[in-house]
Amino acid sequence: TLQRIVSTLVNKNDEIHNFIDMLNHTISNVQVNSSNAISELDEEFDGLYSVLHEMKGSMANTIQQEEARKIQALQDQLSQCSHALENSEELLEIAVQSLDIKNPAKLLEVENIEQMGVRRVVTVASAFRLSLKPKVSDSMAHLMVDFTLEKRMLQAVKFLPVPEAPEIDVAACLVADNCITVSWRMPEEDPRIDHFVLEYRKTNFDGLPRLKGEQHWEVIDYIKATQYTLSGLKFDTKYMNLRVQACNKAVAGEYSDPITLETKAFLFSLDSTSSHPNLKVEDTYVEWDPTGGKGQEKIKGKENKNSNAASPKRATNSPRALARGSRDRFAGESYTVLGDTAVESGQHYWEVRAQKDCKSYSVGVIYRNPGKFDQLGKTNSSWCIHINNWLQTTLSAKHNNKAKTLDIPVPDRIGVYCDFDGGQLSFYNANSKALLHTFRTKFTQPLLPGFMIWCGGLTVSTGLQVPTAVKTLQKSENGLSGSTSSLNNVA
């Protein structure tokens, strides 16, 4: 009881330490975000000052242009009046001289062309055509401004309301086909919302996110809808944390409460400790290497016959031996490598893609602790489909050293579906999800994914959920698959 109390207290202390770290991190963020907010405020007001200064310059330029236009019009009119006045004064002098002739007889004698011209000129003098009204007024009232309304608007400027935190609708969230569909809603409708930001990160912890040891948030920005689907994910962790924030044109709101969704999938790597020396094995890739077996001992036919005999090494209980299933490396013509994680229950799915130059390969499952010379499909403890690309391409299903040729085109990618509890192993065209073959049996021991290859390479895709299309086919199949009784191992 004391040990349990101590263990609980230690866990609680760890949680408090994590929470203290989170609080310190939050304080730091408050300081940084406050400085950023002041900087953004300065930028906004500087922008406003810039707009006002630009408007003032533009409007002052308009007033100056209007002033120049009016002065030019008045100066033109002034020039015309001065010129007309000058002409009128000359004509008046001639007319006055003519009027000074007192003798009527002499006046009648003055009828030459010059005197008649003077009369006409006086009659049509430019002074008679002049308008004695200014063409423009001296008023500039039409260029006056009234900023009363704008002042009120500026005085009403406040901080833009921060959008409320969205609420993630957990019931509407969907995890399927290595995709996660997240749905959310706003507590109240806000027409100022411009877009949403979705953040996610993978974790192996259920519940609230932890600060220490967590991956950084991955960001999906500018989401216009209230739903988003993350696709093409590899479920290499147990859970996924997700959170959403709403943004208007200027500011982002608080994040929603984070949720944790389970991302359950079958994840394994290739176990290099089990592989044949002629195979180069990486995490999820295996390649034939003809130089790898030069130093190995020649295998005699007699040893082949005793391939199922237990190896002394297999009896060890060392942690390393237990971790790799207490098996020796494959040898002889069993160019095989196994997965490092066993299937002991449930439904699981993985995929395999072969290189184009791959001459021969097998994909299937096998019980733990196989013989070092065992080949997939040639024992009663292994099931597989085999592809042979020599001369012509053939596809066959193999179990217990029996084979059935499948008259089906070989797909680029092969999907493997294993229902341990239901006793079913199916192979699919991973692209079209068309069924290639199904074995039905009762599995009595944990199963390991197995791969045999000769020439070329295989890439294994793990961390995959059982595709919805495969689940649908399994429901509709109901025993109508390509199984053959001669290949079944029914306990």
Side-chain angles (χ1 to χ4, degrees):
T1 301
L2 179 60
Q3 181 63 43
R4 186 168 62 251
I5 294 172
V6 169
S7 177
T8 303
L9 183 59
V10 169
N11 292 335
K12 191 65 178 179
N13 286 346
D14 288 341
E15 291 181 4
I16 294 174
H17 278 300
N18 289 337
F19 185 65
I20 290 173
D21 290 338
M22 184 178 293
L23 289 177
N24 289 327
H25 187 68
T26 303
I27 291 172
S28 176
N29 284 345
V30 168
Q31 295 171 339
V32 171
N33 292 336
S34 178
S35 298
N36 292 339
I38 292 175
S39 298
E40 292 176 0
L41 183 66
D42 289 339
E43 290 179 5
E44 290 294 332
F45 272 89
D46 288 343
L48 184 59
Y49 299 150
S50 176
V51 170
L52 291 173
H53 183 72
E54 184 178 347
M55 289 180 63
K56 178 182 177 182
S58 176
M59 298 176 79
N61 186 49
T62 300
I63 294 174
Q64 291 170 353
Q65 289 177 354
E66 182 69 2
E67 176 190 12
R69 184 187 71 80
K70 286 193 171 187
I71 290 176
Q72 184 64 45
L74 292 172
Q75 285 179 344
D76 290 344
Q77 193 175 14
L78 180 61
S79 177
Q80 291 174 2
C81 289
S82 298
H83 182 68
L85 183 60
E86 182 180 352
N87 292 339
S88 297
E89 288 176 348
E90 293 178 0
L91 293 174
L92 282 173
E93 185 178 354
I94 297 172
V96 168
Q97 291 175 359
S98 300
L99 292 175
D100 283 343
I101 301 174
K102 304 297 183 179
N103 189 346
K106 189 176 180 180
L107 184 62
L108 291 174
E109 293 176 357
V110 186
E111 292 183 355
N112 54 42
I113 296 175
E114 182 179 353
Q115 295 294 335
M116 294 299 294
V118 170
R119 185 186 300 173
R120 285 196 299 270
V121 170
V122 172
T123 305
V124 296
S126 57
F128 292 110
R129 299 193 304 270
L130 284 177
S131 171
L132 300 181
K133 180 181 179 181
K135 288 184 177 180
V136 294
S137 70
D138 59 355
S139 173
M140 299 292 281
H142 63 292
L143 294 178
M144 301 300 291
V145 295
D146 180 9
F147 284 140
T148 303
L149 179 60
E150 286 73 12
K151 288 178 180 178
R152 290 176 182 171
M153 292 176 62
L154 288 174
Q155 290 170 351
V157 169
K158 297 179 181 178
F159 291 108
L160 189 66
V162 177
E164 293 187 72
E167 298 174 352
I168 298 180
D169 186 357
V170 179
C173 295
L174 179 64
V175 180
D177 298 319
N178 284 79
C179 299
I180 296 179
T181 299
V182 189
S183 296
W184 60 88
R185 57 179 174 266
M186 295 298 296
E188 295 182 3
E189 189 172 347
D190 187 351
R192 289 168 294 195
I193 298 298
D194 179 68
H195 64 274
F196 297 93
V197 177
L198 171 65
E199 294 188 354
Y200 68 94
R201 64 182 178 187
K202 298 177 179 180
T203 177
N204 284 315
F205 301 105
D206 189 8
L208 294 176
R210 291 162 169 77
L211 184 64
K212 287 186 175 181
E214 290 288 357
Q215 298 184 20
H216 294 295
W217 291 98
E218 301 291 336
V219 180
I220 307 295
D221 206 348
Y222 295 104
I223 302 173
K224 294 295 184 179
T226 56
Q227 179 175 296
Y228 190 83
T229 298
L230 295 165
S231 59
L233 299 173
K234 181 178 181 179
F235 288 165
D236 49 6
T237 56
K238 295 179 181 179
Y239 302 97
M240 183 92 75
N241 297 142
L242 302 112
R243 64 184 186 182
V244 184
Q245 67 177 164
C247 305
N248 53 34
K249 290 292 185 180
V251 64
E254 294 292 329
Y255 287 101
S256 65
D257 291 334
I259 66 166
T260 301
L261 297 179
E262 185 176 7
T263 54
K264 187 177 181 181
F266 183 49
L267 180 70
F268 66 90
S269 299
L270 298 179
D271 184 4
S272 59
T273 65
S274 72
S275 69
H276 192 284
N278 280 89
L279 300 182
K280 292 171 61 177
V281 177
E282 297 179 5
D283 192 24
T284 56
Y285 179 73
V286 55
E287 183 179 20
W288 163 263
D289 180 13
T291 64
K294 284 186 177 180
Q296 70 173 338
E297 247 184 88
K298 290 188 178 180
I299 307 301
K300 298 181 181 179
K302 184 176 180 181
E303 291 175 324
N304 275 317
K305 291 180 182 178
N306 297 326
S307 62
N308 289 325
S311 167
K313 293 181 181 180
R314 207 171 294 136
T316 180
N317 290 322
S318 68
R320 181 63 178 166
L322 292 173
R324 60 191 180 97
S326 303
R327 52 181 180 270
D328 296 320
R329 295 173 67 94
F330 287 98
E333 295 183 356
S334 181
Y335 305 111
T336 304
V337 62
L338 302 179
D340 63 359
T341 304
V343 175
E344 301 184 46
S345 63
Q347 302 176 27
H348 306 283
Y349 180 84
W350 61 96
E351 294 181 353
V352 180
R353 181 192 292 273
Q355 291 181 341
K356 292 183 178 179
D357 61 348
C358 197
K359 299 300 182 183
S360 176
Y361 62 96
S362 299
V363 178
V365 296
I366 189 170
Y367 284 155
R368 279 178 172 170
N369 304 326
K372 65 190 321 184
F373 307 112
D374 287 356
Q375 298 182 26
L376 288 178
K378 291 191 175 183
T379 66
N380 63 357
S381 60
S382 62
W383 299 258
C384 74
I385 59 171
H386 176 74
I387 293 87
N388 189 345
N389 285 325
W390 285 101
L391 299 179
Q392 61 180 8
T393 301
T394 59
L395 176 67
S396 57
K398 291 186 175 183
H399 169 62
N400 201 19
N401 209 23
K402 296 179 182 179
K404 176 187 177 183
T405 301
L406 305 176
D407 189 16
I408 304 172
V410 178
D412 294 334
R413 288 187 301 133
I414 296 173
V416 183
Y417 166 77
C418 180
D419 180 0
F420 186 91
D421 302 318
Q424 184 172 329
L425 178 68
S426 298
F427 299 89
Y428 290 87
N429 181 326
N431 296 318
S432 66
K433 300 300 183 289
L435 179 65
L436 305 177
H437 187 79
T438 294
F439 292 103
R440 294 184 182 278
T441 186
K442 182 179 180 181
F443 298 119
T444 58
Q445 299 179 37
L447 295 167
L448 288 169
F451 311 89
M452 279 186 62
I453 184 169
W454 191 62
C455 293
L458 294 177
T459 300
V460 183
S461 298
T462 71
L464 303 179
Q465 292 185 306
V466 179
T468 302
V470 170
K471 291 181 179 179
T472 303
L473 285 171
Q474 290 299 323
K475 290 180 180 179
S476 62
E477 188 180 350
N478 293 327
L480 299 178
S481 67
S483 305
T484 304
S485 59
S486 62
L487 294 177
N488 289 342
N489 178 27
V490 181

